[in-house]
Amino acid sequence: MSRFNDRVILATGAASGLGLATARLFAKEGASLVLVDVNGEKLLAAQHELRDIGAHVEIVVGDVSTAQTAQDAVALADKSFGRLDVLFNNAAICPLSATALIETPEALFDQVIDINLKSVYLFCTAAIPLIARSGGGSVVNTASTAGLKASPRESVYGISKAAVIQLTKSIARDHAKDKIRANCICPGFLESVMTDRRADMTDEALVKRRARASELVPLGREGEYDEVARSVAFLASELESSYITGAAIVIDGGFTAI
């Protein structure tokens, strides 16, 4: 399949995890890519990997919570490819130190909101005019089951993801006239924790998390990045999801069903 031949995709948080898995899938299906991440070393490695399989890939190293990074990424898409068809807002953090709300310092609250929510606003604001100029397209945002169901001691993360869901619906309503669809995914337990959290967790803690997922998830396991990436590609594809907009697709092995 080559669903994304002649399509240009901008993805944030693309140097590792779900972002990189999705970038690989887009690249294999013919897309040209602009990838954004704060980790320059990993982002450069991702660029080399995807170019080796024949993809056209440009990168922007920067903080997604700043308007300049969003503007630079969209300008690069326009300069390099002359269009933009898909925006995948995936960058996020979930610090271990951001726990119960009253135990979360104001500066940390602001940081999580800036990276998880404000970045989506900034990239949508920068990208939507170019997507509209390109004839329409798709916005896919990474939310979370934490935005639907409160998780213990992850208050600000859940707040940010609930807001991403509502932001997605607002984009869908306001920009349908521009032939732009907007949807979000709500993953549950995945094969590893987010990059910032992994740095503060031991291997033993990850094993315990995996066991907990087996107990809580009806399918009895964590999800794989590639499984979620396929859902992102489905929502990005005009051929397959042309009548889906404003949706929050839950990808959690049944976790929120119980």
Side-chain angles (χ1 to χ4, degrees), residues 163-248:
V164 167
I165 295 171
Q166 185 58 36
L167 183 153
T168 302
K169 293 177 182 291
S170 295
I171 294 293
R173 288 296 301 268
D174 291 341
H175 293 283
K177 65 182 182 298
D178 299 314
K179 298 182 180 179
I180 295 173
R181 297 178 300 106
N183 297 286
C184 61
I185 56 167
C186 297
F189 287 92
L190 294 182
E191 61 187 79
S192 184
V193 295
M194 295 168 67
T195 302
D196 70 296
R197 178 167 282 216
R198 177 64 181 92
D200 296 324
M201 291 182 69
T202 64
D203 291 340
E204 181 182 6
L206 286 176
V207 171
K208 289 181 179 178
R209 177 184 179 274
R210 188 165 294 114
R212 182 166 175 261
S214 298
E215 295 173 358
L216 295 176
V217 176
L219 287 184
R221 62 175 178 86
E222 298 165 314
E224 298 175 359
Y225 291 136
D226 287 345
E227 292 176 299
V228 181
R230 289 193 290 270
S231 294
V232 176
F234 167 76
L235 291 172
S237 169
E238 187 63 33
L239 175 65
E240 295 178 322
S241 60
S242 56
Y243 200 56
I244 301 175
T245 194

Side-chain angles (χ1 to χ4, degrees), residues 7-15 19-20 22-23 26-27 31-37 43 46-47 50-51 55-62 64 69-90 123 127 130:
R7 294 293 181 263
V8 179
I9 298 172
L10 193 166
T12 69
L20 180 55
T22 308
F26 283 141
S32 297
L33 297 163
V34 176
L35 305 181
V36 183
D37 204 284
L43 190 60
Q47 182 185 39
L50 299 180
R51 282 182 170 177
H56 298 286
V57 184
E58 302 294 339
I59 61 173
V60 174
V61 179
V64 294
T69 300
Q71 292 163 8
D72 288 348
V74 173
L76 183 58
D78 194 10
K79 178 182 178 181
S80 299
F81 307 113
R83 62 182 298 118
L84 182 61
D85 301 282
V86 176
L87 170 64
F88 177 37
N89 285 303
N90 176 66
F123 274 81
L130 181 55

Side-chain angles (χ1 to χ4, degrees), residues 90-161:
N90 176 66
I93 60 171
C94 185
L96 282 172
S97 51
T99 60
L101 194 63
I102 64 170
E103 298 172 23
T104 301
E106 181 180 355
L108 188 56
F109 183 96
D110 289 344
Q111 182 186 23
V112 174
I113 293 296
D114 282 351
I115 293 174
N116 294 9
L117 174 61
K118 184 181 176 183
S119 70
V120 181
Y121 153 74
L122 291 172
F123 274 81
C124 284
T125 300
I128 283 174
L130 181 55
I131 298 174
R133 197 183 85 199
S134 303
S138 176
V139 175
V140 183
N141 299 321
T142 300
S144 171
T145 54
L148 302 169
K149 176 180 180 179
S151 298
R153 304 188 68 78
E154 286 186 352
S155 58
V156 64
Y157 178 74
I159 291 165
S160 70
K161 291 304 187 178

